[in-house]
Amino acid sequence: QVQLAEPGGGSVQSGGSLRLSCAASGIIFSGYAMAWYRQAPAKQRELAASINNDGNTNYVDSVKGRFTISRDKAKNTVYLQMNSLKPEDTAVYYCYAVRIPNRYWGQGTQVTVSS
């Protein structure tokens, strides 16, 4: 059974930092590209950051320079370090694993940034 466990999240003031983690089980982690999506209230889910098997990363423009995605293959875990957080970063953040044709989602974790 595949599971993407996302402890973490929480509330922080504007300018603060949070680190999200996503521990994968039931998959061969090194064979999957990983990503963090987010969905703000009344908005569509969007890709925030992704990392492939070779460690190449990609970010949505609104988080470039503030967020860093990384993966630890020994721990089967992907991280999202979020710095200089803004109220517009408030959203539910979802971990995502993909290796065509397989795609898996975490349950989501709430991040709230207050001004």
Side-chain angles (χ1 to χ4, degrees):
Q1 181 178 357
V2 178
Q3 187 173 17
L4 301 178
E6 307 159 340
S11 298
V12 65
Q13 288 192 329
S14 181
S17 298
L18 283 173
R19 188 175 83 154
L20 304 181
S21 62
C22 171
S25 59
I27 60 173
I28 301 174
F29 184 72
S30 59
Y32 280 72
M34 303 296 295
W36 288 95
Y37 280 74
R38 64 183 184 179
Q39 187 166 18
K43 292 189 176 181
Q44 289 192 339
R45 192 173 297 189
E46 69 168 358
L47 175 65
S50 64
I51 184 167
N52 68 10
N53 297 336
D54 296 325
N56 297 314
T57 59
N58 187 47
Y59 300 91
V60 67
D61 286 346
S62 59
V63 308
K64 284 181 180 177
R66 300 187 298 122
F67 289 14
T68 303
I69 188 171
S70 61
R71 62 193 296 165
D72 185 334
K73 293 183 179 181
K75 295 182 178 180
N76 286 4
T77 299
V78 62
Y79 303 97
L80 185 67
Q81 178 66 43
M82 305 184 291
N83 299 327
S84 301
L85 282 161
K86 305 175 180 180
E88 50 264 43
D89 294 317
T90 295
V92 177
Y93 284 72
Y94 296 90
C95 182
Y96 178 69
V98 58
R99 181 182 181 183
I100 302 298
N102 301 316
R103 306 170 190 269
Y104 303 102
W105 290 95
Q107 79 281 5
T109 186
Q110 178 69 46
V111 171
T112 301
V113 184
S114 57
S115 58

